[in-house]
Amino acid sequence: MSGLNNPKIPQPKITVTGRIPDAGLDLLRSIDGSDVWAWMDDAVIPTEVRNEQLADADAAVTLLTDRVDDDFLAAAPKLQIVANVAVGYNNIDVDACTRRGVIVTNTPGVLIDATADLAMGLVLMSTRRLGEGERLIRSGTAWQWSMFMMLGTGLQGRTLGIVGMGGIGEALATRARAFGMRIVYHNRRNVDTEVEQRLDAQRVDFDELLATSDIVSLNCPYSEATHHLIDASALAAMKSTAFLVNTARGPIVDEAALVEALVNGVIAGAALDVFENEPTVHPGLLSLDNVVLVPHLGSATVETRAAMATAAASNVVEVLAGRTPHNPVSG
Ligand code: DGY
C-alpha cells in the first residue's frame, strides 16, 4: 500500500536552492527514498553549484532570490516541479516552465498575517515618524519633549487605499479598521460582499483611490501590468499629505520618481519593505527623513517562514506522488 509520501519515481532527487527552515526539509526527507540536497547558506547559491545539483533533480525548492529562467531549466532536464517558498513568483518564468511541463507552485495563505502586520507597522512608522524619532535618539542629538516636536498624522477617520485586495490586502484592511480607518480598494475583481460589508470597504477605480487616500498601500502581485504602476503621474495624483506603503514588490514603484516626489513634497512620506533593484536601495532614499526603509521583512517571522517551507515541501510531496499540488500557479 502506498503512503501519502510515496513518490511515483523511486529515490527522487530534491534540490533546495536556498536555506529553508527544518520543517520544510524534514517533510522533504520524509518522502520515501528521497535524496534531498539543500544549500545551507544564507548567501545566494553560486550558479555552478546550483546547476550541478539540478542536473538530476526531480524537484526544486526555490527562493525569491533564484531566477528560474531558461538557463535554470536547461540545467534541470528531469524537473517536474519548482516549488517557490514565497507567495510572489515573479522570479520564475512560468511560461518557460509550462513549455517544459514543469509545474510551478507558491505559498499563498500562510504569510497573510505576517505581511499585513508588517504593512500596518509601516503605516504607523511613517505616519508617526517612528524611524525619524529612533534616528534622532540614536544620533545622540539633545532633545526634550515639546508640544510641537515631531508631530505625525493620526489614522482615525483617514482613508486607506489598498491596491490589490487579496488575502494580504484584506488582512491589512481588517487591522486598519481597528484603527478607525475607512477602506477603499482597487482590484481586478470585486471581493466577496460579506468581506466588503465587514470592512465597509468600497471598490473604486485607481484614479479615485489615488486622489482620495491618505495612505496608499500596495498589495498586488508584480507583473508587466503593475510595473511602475506608481510613477510620477500616479504620485502627482496623490494628496500632498498622503503616504505610500509598499510591501508587495519593488518594481511596482518607479523609485527615482518616488525620490523626486518625497524631496519635492508631492507626497508626505513613504514606507518601503521592497525595492526596485533589491537589495540595492536608490541612494536618494537613504538621506530622506520622510521614508521608512526595511529589508523585505514581510513574511519574516519564525512561524511564517516555517509554514512557508512546509507549504512548499507539501507541494513537492503532491507532485512527486502524481497528485495535483495545493498551490499551482499559472503564467
Ligand atoms: C513573498 O512570499 O512573496 C514575500 O515577498 C517573501 O516572503
Side-chain angles (χ1 to χ4, degrees):
M1 203 181 102
S2 70
L4 259 188
N5 290 358
N6 270 11
K8 285 252 181 213
I9 36 171
Q11 299 175 326
K13 162 83 180 273
I14 301 165
T15 296
V16 183
T17 59
R19 190 163 162 237
I20 65 168
D22 285 344
L25 290 176
D26 290 346
L27 181 51
L28 295 172
R29 290 186 185 122
S30 77
I31 298 174
D32 289 349
S34 64
D35 169 13
V36 179
W37 182 90
W39 177 248
M40 297 301 274
D41 202 303
D42 283 327
V44 175
I45 186 171
T47 307
E48 321 78 69
V49 180
R50 182 199 76 183
N51 287 355
E52 197 181 309
Q53 295 299 333
L54 284 175
D56 55 350
D58 300 288
V61 176
T62 56
L63 303 185
L64 55 82
T65 43
D66 292 304
R67 280 232 64 75
V68 181
D69 52 12
D70 276 316
D71 287 344
F72 182 108
L73 295 167
K78 291 175 65 194
L79 208 59
Q80 294 185 31
I81 172 173
V82 173
N84 212 34
V85 190
V87 64
Y89 50 90
N90 55 300
N91 59 312
I92 297 177
D93 183 341
V94 179
D95 290 338
C97 290
T98 307
R99 279 196 299 276
R100 291 172 192 256
V102 176
I103 293 168
V104 179
T105 62
N106 68 343
T107 62
V110 294
L111 44 70
I112 286 176
D113 283 324
T115 310
D117 286 348
L118 184 97
M120 196 65 221
L122 291 181
V123 169
L124 289 163
M125 278 192 79
S126 53
T127 55
R128 297 300 302 272
R129 304 172 62 173
L130 300 183
E132 212 181 321
E134 237 245 343
R135 283 191 295 280
L136 174 89
I137 291 198
R138 286 183 188 276
S139 73
T141 308
W143 65 279
Q144 188 166 39
W145 185 92
S146 74
M147 185 64 83
F148 296 99
M149 184 188 178
M150 268 191 197
L151 299 188
T153 305
L155 296 181
Q156 296 68 34
R158 304 275 176 187
T159 298
L160 172 64
I162 296 180
V163 181
M165 193 67 147
I168 296 169
E170 193 184 314
L172 173 61
T174 304
R175 285 152 178 74
R177 287 291 295 158
F179 282 81
M181 298 191 77
R182 170 179 170 255
I183 311 296
V184 298
Y185 72 95
H186 174 67
N187 210 36
R188 276 174 304 186
R189 55 172 185 83
N190 261 322
V191 301
D192 288 349
T193 314
E194 179 277 314
V195 173
E196 266 192 353
Q197 281 172 355
R198 177 166 49 81
L199 298 170
D200 199 10
Q202 197 191 337
R203 185 177 174 201
V204 296
D205 66 32
F206 186 54
D207 292 342
E208 186 176 342
L209 182 142
L210 293 175
T212 58
S213 297
D214 298 296
I215 290 149
V216 173
S217 173
L218 303 177
N219 300 100
C220 55
Y222 174 66
S223 67
E224 267 175 35
T226 58
H227 180 78
H228 283 190
L229 182 68
I230 302 295
D231 58 7
S233 69
L235 290 160
M238 288 170 63
K239 295 181 182 181
S240 59
T241 50
F243 296 83
L244 175 72
V245 174
N246 189 7
T247 54
R249 282 291 183 268
I252 299 172
V253 176
D254 178 343
E255 240 168 54
L258 177 62
V259 170
E260 286 291 303
L262 291 169
V263 168
N264 296 320
V266 174
I267 63 171
L272 308 175
D273 181 43
V274 285
F275 301 90
E276 187 167 0
N277 298 304
E278 217 169 290
T280 303
V281 176
H282 192 296
L285 291 170
L286 298 173
S287 54
L288 292 176
D289 253 337
N290 56 348
V291 63
V292 174
L293 307 167
V294 293
H296 204 147
L297 297 177
S299 64
T301 69
V302 172
E303 301 83 355
T304 301
R305 289 285 162 82
M308 290 165 71
T310 304
S314 69
N315 283 315
V316 172
V317 169
E318 295 306 301
V319 168
L320 292 181
R323 296 187 291 263
T324 306
H326 305 298
N327 315 113
V329 302
S330 51

